[in-house]
Amino acid sequence: HPEGHGQPGGELMRGKVTFQAAGQDYALRFTTNRLCELEEEAGESIMAICAKMENPEAVKFTDLRRIFRAGLVGDFSHAQAGDILDEIGVTRGLMLASEAMMAAFDIEDQKGPGKPGKAKTGAA
């Protein structure tokens, strides 16, 4: 079962969230390897990190930058990840990272076909 591998016509990679900052295209995708690196860097489990993300008051800037950098597709330094966050705003950065994290765990897939992530982002 090569799930998510080389699906014809599927330009959307499983768990990938794309966005623009300063006219550049970027993507967030939390692969297993990136999640492992994030756990090692943070010194806590992904479940603990996700719980923190659900409570924005508990998220430190250091945490957000670390999480965001771990999800960025490509090779980015902490400073570069911070610069991208400055461009899009920390609130949007947290929302995008949360969306990509949920997609990594197939949480969005339960809703069936459609645009991933768009339906859930309503005003609180």
Side-chain angles (χ1 to χ4, degrees):
H1 293 36
E3 282 186 283
H5 249 166
Q7 292 175 349
E11 70 177 60
L12 217 109
M13 194 183 296
R14 180 184 294 277
K16 186 170 159 186
V17 173
T18 57
F19 66 97
Q20 280 199 332
Q24 297 281 344
D25 290 323
Y26 295 97
L28 289 170
R29 182 169 183 252
F30 290 98
T31 62
T32 300
N33 289 332
R34 289 296 183 103
L35 291 170
C36 290
E37 289 169 17
L38 179 55
E39 281 185 337
E40 286 173 7
E41 251 186 63
E44 54 190 349
S45 74
I46 286 301
M47 292 308 136
I49 293 166
C50 287
K52 235 186 235 182
M53 288 171 71
E54 288 175 17
N55 180 13
E57 294 85 39
V59 180
K60 297 188 292 188
F61 278 97
T62 316
D63 295 328
L64 177 56
R65 187 179 70 170
R66 179 187 299 126
I67 293 163
F68 196 78
R69 178 184 164 270
L72 276 171
V73 176
D75 191 20
F76 294 92
S77 68
H78 287 287
Q80 288 170 319
D83 290 343
I84 295 168
L85 278 169
D86 285 341
E87 277 296 321
I88 63 173
V90 292
T91 304
R92 180 150 184 255
L94 183 58
M95 283 174 50
L96 288 167
S98 296
E99 191 177 326
M101 192 73 78
M102 286 192 301
F105 291 106
D106 293 333
I107 294 169
E108 291 291 324
D109 285 3
Q110 321 273 322
K111 296 190 318 191
K115 298 209 174 191
K118 295 295 178 208
K120 266 200 172 170
T121 55

